[in-house]
Amino acid sequence: HLFDLTHSMARVQVKMEFMFKASPSILYLFVTQPTGLVRWFCDKVDNIGDRYTFSWEGDEEEAVMVDDL
């Protein structure tokens, strides 16, 4: 999934690299499902349809899925 953070902040490109010892199907779940994202990316994820809310230490950012790879 690709997300577009739609908060009032300026757009900033961020590139991260992670090394995982897992199959592609397991990795897909970790980057596309809220239960997987909270294990490595943020504290909490809520989603309704294509809208996602990511929470880190009490701060929230909203995003819209722009592409499902």
Side-chain angles (χ1 to χ4, degrees):
H1 297 272
L2 297 177
F3 297 101
D4 179 22
L5 295 176
T6 56
H7 196 335
S8 61
M9 63 190 331
R11 246 183 137 152
V12 177
Q13 181 177 356
V14 176
K15 180 179 178 180
M16 293 185 243
E17 293 186 23
F18 297 90
M19 296 206 44
F20 295 99
K21 293 183 180 181
S23 70
S25 60
I26 296 294
L27 287 177
Y28 182 79
L29 295 175
F30 270 79
V31 299
T32 61
Q33 302 298 313
T35 54
L37 287 164
V38 298
R39 296 186 67 185
W40 69 277
F41 183 64
C42 58
D43 298 330
K44 181 180 176 185
V45 179
D46 291 314
N47 79 297
I48 298 174
D50 289 346
R51 297 200 167 276
Y52 290 76
T53 303
F54 298 95
S55 301
W56 294 271
E57 299 177 0
D59 291 325
E60 292 185 345
E61 295 290 336
E62 292 184 3
V64 176
M65 185 187 335
V66 293
D67 197 5
D68 186 358
L69 304 174

